[in-house]
Amino acid sequence: MTSSTLQHLRVAIVGAGPAGIYAGNILTHAVVEAGGTVGIDLFETLPAPYGLIRYGVAPDHPRIKGIVNSLHEMLDAGTTRFIGNVEVGRDISIDELKERYDAVILATGAIRDAALDIPGIDLPGSYGAADFVAWFDGHPDVPTAWTLDQREVAVIGNGNVALDVARMLAKHSVDLRLTEIPDNVLAGLESSAVTDVHVFGRRGPADIKFTPIELRELGEVPDVDIVVDDEDFAYLEGVTPATNQLKVMLRILESWRTREATGASRRLHLHFYHSPVEVLGSERVEGLRFERTEPAGDGRVRGTGEFREYPVQQVYRAVGYYGTPVIDAPFDEKAGVVSNVEGRVKDAATTGDVDAPVVTGLYATGWIKRGPVGLIGHTKSDAMETIAHLVADAAAGRLSAPTVEGDVLDVLDEREVAYTTWDGWLALDAHERALGAGHVHTRERVKVVPRDEQVAISRSGALIRT
């Protein structure tokens, strides 16, 4: 490939969440600035776009979901073609994409829960946070029912996902009726028996991984008392939080220490310096055992040898996410990411093997590139790094030109893949908004949950090639 081929690039992006959409938008601008043009196909396993925004953000956070507006503008511009309900690796392989495009960018994210290797973690009543989040966000590939028949539940983790899970468990369903929460989820929450939610973190109040607005919102949930233990603040004398954000959050936590209980029907308990060692129970979850920790310097903690047990009947682990391997792409099992260096995929078992050869024309961006760290906005700078390498490789002639002509939709049609399109999403979007407007509790939208219904609405409302 010579530098002249930068005049027109054909690129496939796998994953239509923020990472993939940002990558497509940045790539479009970069190629145009270099004097070329680009055609981008955006493949998504789900029938609808937006990934984490649609299926990973709590329904009572419309502020964060506002990001959809900018993502919508990027896809509506017409420079990127959305192709949904297509699983790369099953419906079409990466090699088949590489035959048809100058480059392929993997932006599949991290949708599985990271493991917590302690005894009893697999007992009935023990769940990963990602599964619960997928349920209350109406993900089409999880069961529509969730059992909430226990009074005392635990959430293990000190990040924003843990707070989302805890808040949704503690919040009364009446306070969610005006959100886009699916009807089956609302019904499940209305029958919830939960009265006490316990959130456990290994570190102390000055080392939490929340964001201030998430923490502050926790204390504003109606008919829920926040309970903190003075014992967990004993190590803070003389401690200066590392950032202004932590200072703000520490002030919030300190204010809760002196706030009197209101006699609310539900309580949310925040526990610090607790390292989980065992889920207790024989037939199902009956409790949790922790080792009490203490500061060891530099934000680290060490065990004290003191153990405590709490009677809980459900456990949700929110200790991080883990990437899903992409079929035929090198994968680092330890890190849970596609093996890469700065977004260039490497033919290696570990992402740290810088000497491994580059897989020509294959790139990664987002959580599947760097692991599940950082907020949604961080995907922009992350994509810029990957796209800079892709454009440089194209200009230097390091990409292989497509060897197969023709539209990829011809392949999908031949295989009878019921793919969805951008016009189809607009039809589904309009349908969901109409459901919301006509609902007994008027809402912005009511999500359609079953995959087959999403596909049917999308394909009937859009011009699909025949």
Side-chain angles (χ1 to χ4, degrees):
M1 182 181 227
T2 65
S3 60
S4 62
T5 56
L6 183 58
Q7 292 176 6
H8 183 73
L9 292 177
R10 294 169 58 191
V11 177
I13 300 177
V14 184
I21 297 173
Y22 285 141
N25 188 58
I26 292 169
L27 175 62
T28 298
H29 288 293
V31 173
V32 169
E33 288 178 4
T37 59
V38 62
I40 300 172
D41 283 345
L42 183 65
F43 294 87
E44 170 57 50
T45 302
L46 297 167
Y50 306 140
L52 178 67
I53 300 295
R54 183 169 165 90
Y55 292 117
V57 176
D60 59 347
H61 271 179
R63 171 186 54 82
I64 296 177
K65 288 181 178 292
I67 297 173
V68 165
N69 294 333
S70 62
L71 298 179
H72 174 98
E73 291 178 3
M74 294 176 195
L75 290 183
D76 205 43
T79 55
T80 297
R81 184 170 65 168
F82 173 73
I83 306 174
N85 202 42
V86 175
E87 184 176 334
V88 173
R90 181 195 65 189
D91 299 319
I92 192 166
S93 70
I94 285 180
D95 285 342
E96 288 176 312
L97 293 182
K98 290 175 66 178
E99 291 173 347
R100 291 165 172 80
Y101 298 89
D102 296 286
V104 177
I105 304 173
L106 304 177
T108 50
I111 59 175
R112 298 189 298 172
D113 284 287
L116 180 60
D117 189 16
I118 60 174
I121 196 64
D122 294 323
L123 279 170
S126 176
Y127 307 100
D131 292 334
F132 185 58
V133 171
W135 172 72
F136 67 59
D137 269 332
H139 195 291
D141 297 336
V142 300
T144 56
W146 194 280
T147 302
L148 293 169
D149 59 350
Q150 303 298 323
R151 292 171 58 86
E152 299 164 305
V153 302
V155 181
I156 300 174
N158 256 179
N160 282 341
V161 174
L163 283 195
D164 275 354
V165 169
R167 191 181 65 258
M168 290 295 292
L169 287 167
K171 205 165 190 175
H172 292 273
S173 60
V174 66
D175 297 312
L176 292 164
R177 287 177 178 171
L178 299 183
T179 71
E180 63 178 45
I181 191 169
D183 283 339
N184 66 293
V185 178
L186 190 62
L189 294 174
E190 284 174 347
S191 63
S192 172
V194 172
T195 60
D196 289 82
V197 180
H198 297 263
V199 182
F200 295 93
R202 292 178 58 249
R203 296 180 174 83
D207 297 301
I208 52 181
K209 302 298 182 183
F210 311 139
T211 51
I213 192 167
E214 295 268 1
L215 186 63
R216 187 179 293 110
E217 287 175 349
L218 203 64
E220 299 171 352
V221 179
D223 195 31
V224 175
D225 276 337
I226 303 294
V227 182
V228 294
D229 194 331
D230 285 340
E231 178 187 24
D232 288 341
F233 295 80
Y235 296 111
L236 293 181
E237 186 173 347
V239 173
T240 301
T243 66
N244 287 332
Q245 278 198 339
L246 285 171
K247 290 179 183 178
V248 171
M249 289 190 286
L250 201 53
R251 284 199 296 269
I252 295 171
L253 292 171
E254 289 282 3
S255 72
W256 291 344
R257 293 177 66 186
T258 56
R259 190 163 75 175
E260 293 187 6
T262 65
S265 64
R266 292 181 179 175
R267 289 154 296 281
L268 206 161
H269 309 256
L270 298 180
H271 305 271
F272 302 97
Y273 298 117
H274 281 71
S275 180
V277 295
E278 185 178 3
V279 179
L280 305 174
S282 53
E283 300 298 323
R284 58 164 295 113
V285 172
E286 297 175 8
L288 269 173
R289 189 168 191 248
F290 295 88
E291 181 177 13
R292 184 78 176 168
T293 63
E294 64 183 8
D298 298 326
R300 296 176 296 109
V301 294
R302 58 178 172 245
T304 64
E306 177 189 353
F307 294 88
R308 299 181 182 180
E309 295 181 1
Y310 295 82
V312 296
Q313 298 83 49
Q314 280 190 341
V315 174
Y316 295 82
R317 69 182 188 278
V319 295
Y321 288 104
Y322 183 85
T324 302
V326 180
I327 295 174
D328 295 330
F331 192 74
D332 185 338
E333 294 285 350
K334 183 177 180 180
V337 299
V338 169
S339 303
N340 75 95
V341 174
E342 296 184 349
R344 287 186 174 109
V345 173
K346 292 276 190 172
D347 188 8
T350 65
T351 197
D353 187 356
V354 295
D355 295 325
V358 169
V359 180
T360 302
L362 191 58
Y363 301 84
T365 190
W367 279 5
I368 200 63
K369 166 189 171 184
R370 57 186 164 84
V373 293
L375 302 176
I376 292 171
H378 292 133
T379 57
K380 290 183 181 179
S381 57
D382 187 54
M384 290 178 68
E385 178 182 62
T386 296
I387 297 306
H389 286 312
L390 189 161
V391 172
D393 290 344
R398 289 191 287 263
L399 301 183
S400 299
T403 58
V404 176
E405 294 297 327
D407 196 327
V408 71
L409 296 185
D410 293 335
V411 178
L412 299 178
D413 285 332
E414 182 180 340
R415 295 173 183 175
E416 299 183 342
V417 177
Y419 59 85
T420 58
T421 65
W422 179 246
D423 284 343
W425 160 246
L426 295 179
L428 177 58
D429 181 49
H431 180 86
E432 291 183 341
R433 290 179 184 276
L435 291 177
H439 200 276
V440 63
H441 306 293
T442 303
R443 317 182 196 172
E444 180 182 351
R445 77 170 65 241
V446 173
K447 281 184 183 175
V448 173
V449 175
R451 180 185 285 263
D452 58 350
E453 288 186 29
Q454 290 188 45
V455 172
I457 294 166
S458 297
R459 289 178 65 85
S460 64
L463 179 61
I464 301 296
R465 302 185 333 160
T466 57

